[in-house]
Amino acid sequence: MSQTLTRKAKVAIPLTVALLLSACGAKVNTTLDITEDNSGTRTMNLSLKRDADAEGKINGGFEAIDASIENHLPDELTYSGLTVDTEQATASFTLSFTDADDYRTKAMKLLEYSGIEKDPTLTIINTDSPLISGFAYDENFNSTDLLGWIPDSLVTDGVVSQDNKNNILDGNGPGKITAKGKTYDTDSGYLRTKDTIDNRFESAKIEISPQTDGSYETQVAFSRSSVPAGPIIEKEDQHFENLDIDGLEKDKAGKSETAYERTLQFTSENMAKLTENLDKVFLTTGSKLESKLGTSRANSLYLTTIYTGSIDTSKIADERFSQLTIKIVNKDDDFALSQDSATGLTDFSISISRPISVATLDFALDVKDKETSSLKLAFGIPANEAEQLNTAITKKFTPANDLGTLTSDDSDDLRHYTIEIPEITPLNSQEVVDFIGGRIGATVPEIASGADYLVSLHIFPNQLFENLPAEITGKITLPGRDTFSFTDESSISGWKIDGGTATLTELTDKYISFDGPVTEHSLVWFIVGIVIAGLVLIALVLAFIFRKKLSAKLADFREKRRIAAEQAQAAVRAQAQAYVQAQGATQTQAAAQAQTAAQAQTAAQAQTAAQAPGANTVPPLNAPSASPAPNTPSAFPTPDAPQDPQEWDESDLM
């Protein structure tokens, strides 16, 4: 709030005060009061000697000067008004601040309002630390810089002429700084004092590397131009040992170019944690670091990140020689893809261009036959980055209409994109290569290699995304019962082979690389086996379902079989008895016929003998007997065999 001049001042101050402002110029004396918490006031007193000859050069008199100052007074200042006596006239302006950051911010606005191109820097050491104790103050601006708007205001309002503009302020006089109960006098307009025991490092170089997962790897290198004495090193050790930072590594950096260097290395999970850790390193509470994303150029997968903030290193290292570097590093070869640096860390702005972050990449190559396959690529990009580059991503990764599709969805703070190419054949393989790069698909080998066909998959993520994904997974699947036929699976490093499936286990050469021979296996017998197994299964199921009916039928069938067997046995016995009876009758008839025949023959022979000479001759003893009648049975008659009980028809079960 501005303060208007009192009525007493308006009455007491003659017009010559205004004349003196424009003629002889006012000296600016400064008093700076700083409390223990770094709040305070900066009072700038204007004083000038009276000169009656200058009265005629003021347009509008005292009221015009007062009105002009009131009209243009910036919000950062309070105005006390003019006071005059017989020797001089004075006016004062006060800048109040709550801490060093507030002080710096208001000083910057006053410099801008005064048309002075300067970034204000100031150092306030007002506490004890392991490496410095006491009080120190330094600045790169002065009070006439902060009040540079007054001459322009008076000229703009026509109170003084343009010719007299440079005579209104006549430079800075002596200044005073009050802090810690002491007053320090300064001779020049720039307030500087140092009442400390200063064992700080001469410089601090902060190097921050943002990671794809949102974390920040940080190294702080402190250096001196010469090796300090033992007591100072002990103070350094005391500070380092008291740092409570997760995963902190001390003095693990490589060889330094300076005579003496000590380093701290740590990883912060996010930016808020990073600023907290920087506060711990530099024993402050005011570290600030912010970032804003934006595309660097149209249709590019590069992002520009602008980092702004402030870091106060003054309690540990001389802030005048401290530096911040932010860089994006390729982890594979430790090459900085992009970096920028800033000195004067009280208010920095750093721009970094980097490739888009790819959190995940998953691929699936599905081989259909020896010349046809399909491919699916799914990758995840942090949603905030994808939002900035969605147009460029969609344009780059959308296949031609007859080649495939691109879809996307959001989950887990990622935007997931999926490229699907349903059919890769010799006819479109070159188009696929032009779209994705590398070599993809199944081919028949031109030279006999003991394999029926070859499967190849070569994808270069660095070329595809201009950055290596943080996590890469995927697999290759063969059709049917086809299998990979590696003679030595150790030759295919980073892959696990399981019959007809190859799974990526480790990315060994920064790109996906696979060449696999395949042996075909016919599906005919496999299908036949499946059919038989299916029929057996159906039969078992039906048997289970109709088990009660089948059980009854089987019991009935067993009863019928028993009865049939008994009947067959009875028939056999009857036939055997009939045969025996027939055999006996036949033998009796044959004996009778034989006896009759013998008698007849004897009678005939006797008659012949009686009639022939020598009829009294006895026939030989071995004369043949009469043959049996032709109808005499010569073998055991075979009766009709009964039906075999084992021979039954399915109709018996019905």
Side-chain angles (χ1 to χ4, degrees):
M1 295 292 295
S2 62
Q3 298 179 359
T4 58
L5 297 178
T6 64
R7 178 175 178 83
K8 178 180 178 181
K10 292 181 179 180
V11 174
I13 300 175
L15 186 59
T16 54
V17 173
L19 297 175
L20 291 173
L21 277 172
S22 61
C24 300
K27 286 286 185 182
V28 182
N29 300 318
T30 304
T31 299
L32 179 63
D33 294 304
I34 298 178
T35 63
E36 292 290 338
D37 63 356
N38 286 343
S39 64
T41 59
R42 182 187 185 114
T43 302
M44 296 166 282
N45 297 304
L46 279 67
S47 62
L48 50 96
K49 293 182 179 181
R50 295 182 57 180
D51 186 351
D53 294 337
E55 294 181 10
K57 298 180 180 179
I58 301 301
N59 297 321
F62 171 78
E63 287 79 6
I65 294 176
D66 183 57
S68 180
I69 293 176
E70 288 283 0
N71 186 40
H72 298 285
L73 183 69
D75 294 336
E76 290 74 25
L77 296 175
T78 58
Y79 171 47
S80 65
L82 292 173
T83 302
V84 67
D85 58 27
T86 58
E87 298 293 330
Q88 64 178 2
T90 61
S92 65
F93 298 86
T94 302
L95 169 63
S96 300
F97 51 89
T98 57
D99 55 31
D101 286 337
D102 184 45
Y103 186 9
R104 185 181 300 110
T105 299
K106 290 179 176 179
M108 180 176 62
K109 291 182 178 180
L110 289 173
L111 291 173
E112 292 176 352
Y113 192 58
S114 298
I116 297 176
E117 296 181 359
K118 181 183 294 185
D119 290 328
T121 61
L122 57 89
T123 300
I124 302 176
I125 298 173
N126 194 22
T127 187
D128 295 336
S129 75
L131 298 180
I132 191 171
S133 60
F135 176 81
Y137 178 87
D138 193 11
E139 64 183 23
N140 71 338
F141 56 88
N142 57 42
S143 292
T144 56
D145 293 334
L146 300 178
L147 298 175
W149 55 274
I150 293 177
D152 287 290
S153 298
L154 297 176
V155 171
T156 299
D157 292 342
V159 178
V160 298
S161 65
Q162 181 69 36
D163 294 339
N164 288 321
K165 174 184 173 181
N166 295 331
N167 296 325
I168 295 175
L169 298 178
D170 192 25
N172 295 281
K176 292 181 182 294
I177 303 173
T178 301
K180 284 184 171 293
K182 294 183 179 181
T183 299
Y184 304 94
D185 294 324
T186 61
D187 295 331
S188 66
Y190 296 94
L191 303 182
R192 292 189 178 97
T193 189
K194 186 175 183 180
D195 182 17
T196 60
I197 300 173
D198 191 353
N199 292 319
R200 295 177 301 168
F201 291 98
E202 295 174 11
S203 68
K205 293 183 179 180
I206 308 167
E207 187 175 283
I208 299 174
S209 297
Q211 305 300 301
T212 56
D213 61 358
S215 64
Y216 295 85
E217 292 185 357
T218 305
Q219 174 178 293
V220 183
F222 300 99
S223 62
R224 300 180 188 273
S225 58
S226 61
V227 178
I232 296 177
I233 295 177
E234 291 175 356
K235 290 290 187 181
E236 297 172 358
D237 292 338
Q238 175 188 344
H239 174 53
F240 287 179
E241 291 300 324
N242 289 335
L243 292 175
D244 181 19
I245 298 176
D246 293 338
L248 178 65
E249 294 185 347
K250 309 177 188 69
D251 301 318
K252 293 293 183 68
K255 185 177 180 181
S256 170
E257 297 179 356
T258 61
Y260 181 81
E261 182 178 84
R262 303 195 66 174
T263 60
L264 300 174
Q265 294 172 307
F266 54 89
T267 299
S268 307
E269 60 187 16
N270 51 45
M271 188 170 291
K273 193 66 176 180
L274 173 59
T275 56
E276 178 184 327
N277 288 336
L278 290 174
D279 279 340
K280 293 178 180 179
V281 170
F282 296 110
L283 297 177
T284 186
T285 58
S287 296
K288 294 181 181 178
L289 189 62
E290 298 176 346
S291 65
K292 181 180 180 181
L293 286 175
T295 56
S296 56
R297 56 185 182 273
N299 301 323
S300 169
L301 294 186
Y302 271 73
L303 286 169
T304 294
T305 306
I306 302 174
Y307 294 90
T308 58
S310 61
I311 302 172
D312 182 7
T313 67
S314 61
K315 294 178 182 177
I316 303 299
D318 192 332
E319 70 284 356
R320 296 174 299 173
F321 306 106
S322 294
Q323 183 182 60
L324 170 65
T325 298
I326 299 178
K327 65 179 182 179
I328 307 299
V329 178
N330 186 329
K331 287 292 185 182
D332 299 317
D333 52 19
D334 201 32
F335 175 75
L337 299 173
S338 179
Q339 70 176 44
D340 192 15
S341 300
T343 55
L345 304 184
T346 55
D347 187 18
F348 61 83
S349 178
I350 295 176
S351 296
I352 297 293
S353 292
R354 62 172 178 83
I356 196 170
S357 303
V358 183
T360 60
L361 170 63
D362 181 71
F363 63 87
L365 180 66
D366 186 8
V367 180
K368 299 179 179 179
D369 56 46
K370 62 178 62 178
E371 290 188 343
T372 309
S373 58
S374 64
L375 177 67
K376 181 166 73 172
L377 288 176
F379 55 93
I381 294 175
N384 61 332
E385 297 186 17
E387 192 65 31
Q388 296 289 332
L389 294 175
N390 189 62
T391 301
I393 294 171
T394 302
K395 182 176 181 179
K396 179 177 177 64
F397 293 111
T398 299
N401 291 333
D402 57 347
L403 188 64
T405 59
L406 173 70
T407 58
S408 66
D409 64 88
D410 293 347
S411 65
D412 301 328
D413 296 327
L414 294 176
R415 180 161 297 175
H416 300 275
Y417 295 88
T418 302
I419 302 172
E420 292 189 70
I421 302 177
E423 189 170 83
I424 303 174
T425 67
L427 296 177
N428 68 357
S429 60
Q430 185 58 48
E431 188 177 2
V432 175
V433 169
D434 293 341
F435 174 58
I436 294 180
R439 187 169 71 254
I440 303 167
T443 58
V444 178
E446 297 178 359
I447 302 175
S449 61
D452 295 307
Y453 60 94
L454 298 176
V455 172
S456 297
L457 181 65
H458 295 267
I459 299 176
F460 302 89
N462 267 333
Q463 296 180 9
L464 191 61
F465 302 107
E466 302 182 65
N467 195 9
L468 190 65
E471 178 183 0
I472 300 179
T473 57
K475 66 179 180 179
I476 302 171
T477 305
L478 299 179
R481 302 182 67 193
D482 292 3
T483 58
F484 291 106
S485 53
F486 290 99
T487 56
D488 181 11
E489 291 186 6
S490 63
S491 63
I492 186 72
S493 178
W495 293 82
K496 179 182 178 182
I497 308 300
D498 183 13
T501 302
T503 304
L504 180 69
T505 57
E506 181 182 2
L507 195 68
T508 56
D509 295 315
K510 306 176 191 176
Y511 60 90
I512 303 166
S513 178
F514 182 88
D515 289 295
V518 178
T519 299
E520 281 187 297
H521 297 278
S522 174
L523 294 178
V524 174
W525 291 110
F526 179 71
I527 294 173
V528 170
I530 291 177
V531 172
I532 293 174
L535 292 175
V536 170
L537 180 61
I538 292 172
L540 291 174
V541 171
L542 291 175
F544 178 79
I545 294 174
F546 299 104
R547 62 187 183 280
K548 292 183 179 180
K549 291 184 178 180
L550 286 174
S551 178
K553 290 289 184 181
L554 288 174
D556 183 58
F557 167 71
R558 284 194 293 268
E559 180 63 21
K560 289 181 179 180
R561 183 179 176 183
R562 184 186 63 77
I563 295 172
E566 291 178 354
Q567 292 174 347
Q569 290 176 358
V572 169
R573 286 194 299 269
Q575 289 178 356
Q577 185 177 0
Y579 171 76
V580 171
Q581 292 174 353
Q583 182 69 17
T586 301
Q587 290 178 351
T588 301
Q589 183 181 3
Q593 290 177 349
Q595 183 178 3
T596 302
Q599 291 175 354
Q601 184 178 11
T602 302
Q605 289 177 350
Q607 183 179 0
T608 302
Q611 295 176 355
N616 293 326
T617 305
V618 178
L621 294 176
N622 59 351
S625 61
S627 300
N631 59 348
T632 301
S634 61
F636 189 90
T638 302
D640 293 337
Q643 184 180 7
D644 188 347
Q646 299 297 328
E647 296 179 3
W648 53 276
D649 191 81
E650 293 180 359
S651 62
D652 292 333
L653 294 176
M654 301 306 290

